[in-house]
Amino acid sequence: MKKKRVAIQGIKASFHEEAAFKFFGEDIETVECSSFKKTCEALKNKEADYVVMAIENSIAGSLLPNYTLLRDYHLCIIGEVYLPIQLHLLALPGVKFEQVKNVESHPIAIRQCIDFIDEYPHLNVKESSDTAACAKRIRDEQLTDTVAIANQLAAKLYGLEILERRIESNKKNYTRFLILTEHKEGDVPNANKASLSFETNDEVGSLAKVLNIFAEHNVNMSKIQSMPVLGKRHEYNFYVDIEWDNHAQYTEAISKALRYTINFTLLGEYLKNDHV
C-alpha cells in the first residue's frame, strides 16, 4: 500500500514529525514545509494527504494564526495528539560543554529553557526557524562550538549526543496538534469530541444561550477561543471544542445551537486523545 503523505511545519525530527509518528506510526512519508500555510498548500495541491498542525501549547498558549488557516482552507479535523515537549542540549559526539559558545533553537524552545540558559551567561543565543534544523546544521557543518536545543528524535536522526537532558523549565509542558485533511473521510467511529466555529447574533446573551444549550445537554466545552472577524468591529468568530458521552444529546445540542449562530462550521468530529 502507498504510504500516507503527511505535511509538517519544519523538517524531519521536528516535534511535528514526532506528533505525526505518534498518530500514524513511523511508516509514513513526511512532507517538509517551511511554514504552516505551506502545509495547507501541500494538502490543497495534492502533495500531501494529511497535515499535522500545532494549535496550542501549555505555556505559549494558542497559535492564533492557525485557527484562521483552518477556516480559510476548509480543513477537516480527524484527530488530535498531545505531545510532551522534552528539550535536550545536543552536540557533535565528543564535544565537551566547556567548548560550547553558541546555543541555537526555535525562539519558543529557547524561552522554554531560559532558566538553564541564564545559568551560563557566556553562551551566545541564536534563534532559528526550527529546532531540528539547528541539529541538522551542527551535523552538516560539523560545528564543535555550537549546541542545539531539540528533541531526542533529532539527536538520533542527525547523529548528535545529548549533553544535557530535559533542560526545559516546566517539565509538564505539552503541545496539542491537530490531524487535518482536505475533505471529510467519513465518520470517525465512536467520535466523542468536536471542534466548531461560529459567530453569534448581535444580541444580548446570544453566546451565553449557545453555551447553556451545551450544558443542558451534558456536552462539555473543553475550550473556547475568540478571534475578531476581519473588517467587522465588535464581531468575533468563536472556536469551541466540545466533548460528549451521549451522541444523541450532542446532535440535539448542535441542532438547537444553530438557531443562535451565524456561519456555523463543524470543523471535525474525532476521538478525544489527551494522553500526554
Side-chain angles (χ1 to χ4, degrees):
M1 285 184 66
K2 190 178 174 183
K3 288 186 178 181
K4 293 181 175 72
R5 299 171 301 166
V6 183
I8 62 166
Q9 187 273 323
I11 68 171
K12 291 181 184 296
S14 65
F15 283 107
H16 275 82
E17 187 179 56
E18 190 174 346
F21 286 165
K22 189 172 181 180
F23 188 85
F24 293 106
E26 296 190 14
D27 191 25
I28 60 173
E29 179 185 331
T30 302
V31 180
E32 299 174 333
C33 300
S34 59
S35 68
F36 287 115
K37 184 174 182 179
K38 287 184 178 177
T39 65
C40 300
E41 286 292 323
L43 191 62
K44 180 181 176 182
N45 297 330
K46 313 298 182 188
E47 297 163 359
D49 306 306
Y50 302 94
V51 168
V52 174
M53 181 183 288
I55 201 67
E56 64 181 300
N57 175 264
S58 58
I59 295 174
S62 295
L63 282 73
L64 297 180
N66 289 357
Y67 281 98
T68 302
L69 291 174
L70 290 179
R71 283 192 68 91
D72 289 352
Y73 283 87
H74 308 290
L75 300 175
C76 180
I77 304 170
I78 61 161
E80 65 178 354
V81 170
Y82 284 81
L83 189 71
I85 303 302
Q86 298 180 355
L87 296 164
H88 312 297
L89 209 61
L90 311 184
L92 285 173
V95 168
K96 304 298 182 188
F97 190 74
E98 298 76 42
Q99 300 172 246
V100 176
K101 297 176 183 176
N102 307 303
V103 56
E104 294 186 8
S105 196
H106 188 279
I108 292 178
I110 289 170
R111 287 205 302 272
Q112 291 170 350
C113 300
I114 199 64
D115 291 341
F116 177 87
I117 293 170
D118 282 349
E119 292 179 25
Y120 305 96
H122 69 282
L123 291 177
N124 179 32
V125 179
K126 298 181 179 180
E127 295 185 352
S128 173
S129 60
D130 184 49
T131 55
C134 298
K136 184 176 184 294
R137 192 172 89 85
I138 289 173
R139 192 276 311 270
D140 291 349
E141 299 180 22
Q142 291 293 292
L143 302 175
T144 57
D145 64 348
T146 303
V147 290
I149 296 174
N151 60 11
Q152 191 165 334
L153 196 60
K156 181 179 178 182
L157 183 63
Y158 300 116
L160 303 182
E161 287 184 349
I162 298 177
L163 284 185
E164 294 282 346
R165 291 183 179 273
R166 303 297 304 274
I167 64 170
E168 70 274 10
S169 300
N170 189 323
K171 307 303 181 190
K172 295 182 179 179
N173 182 16
Y174 66 84
T175 296
R176 179 186 176 215
F177 298 82
L178 299 179
I179 312 300
L180 309 166
T181 190
E182 196 175 19
H183 54 83
K184 190 173 181 182
E185 299 187 320
D187 294 336
V188 175
N190 304 314
N192 57 3
K193 187 170 183 177
S195 294
L196 320 171
S197 170
F198 56 83
E199 298 168 49
T200 56
N201 299 315
D202 189 17
E203 299 172 3
V204 173
S206 56
L207 177 60
K209 288 175 183 175
V210 175
L211 303 185
N212 282 333
I213 287 169
F214 293 146
E216 290 163 3
H217 290 78
N218 294 315
V219 174
N220 179 47
M221 185 182 67
S222 57
K223 178 170 183 173
I224 183 168
Q225 179 73 54
S226 64
M227 290 273 287
V229 177
L230 195 62
K232 296 182 179 180
R233 292 180 63 194
H234 312 304
E235 293 189 29
Y236 294 85
N237 268 318
F238 295 98
Y239 295 86
V240 175
D241 291 339
I242 55 175
E243 304 166 2
W244 63 88
D245 294 321
N246 185 305
H247 193 270
Q249 287 183 314
Y250 155 71
T251 303
E252 188 175 346
I254 293 295
S255 178
K256 290 182 178 179
L258 285 170
R259 302 173 196 171
Y260 302 100
T261 61
I262 304 167
N263 295 329
F264 183 97
T265 303
L266 177 60
L267 298 170
E269 296 176 347
Y270 48 97
L271 275 173
K272 176 182 175 183
N273 181 18
D274 57 3
H275 301 293
V276 179

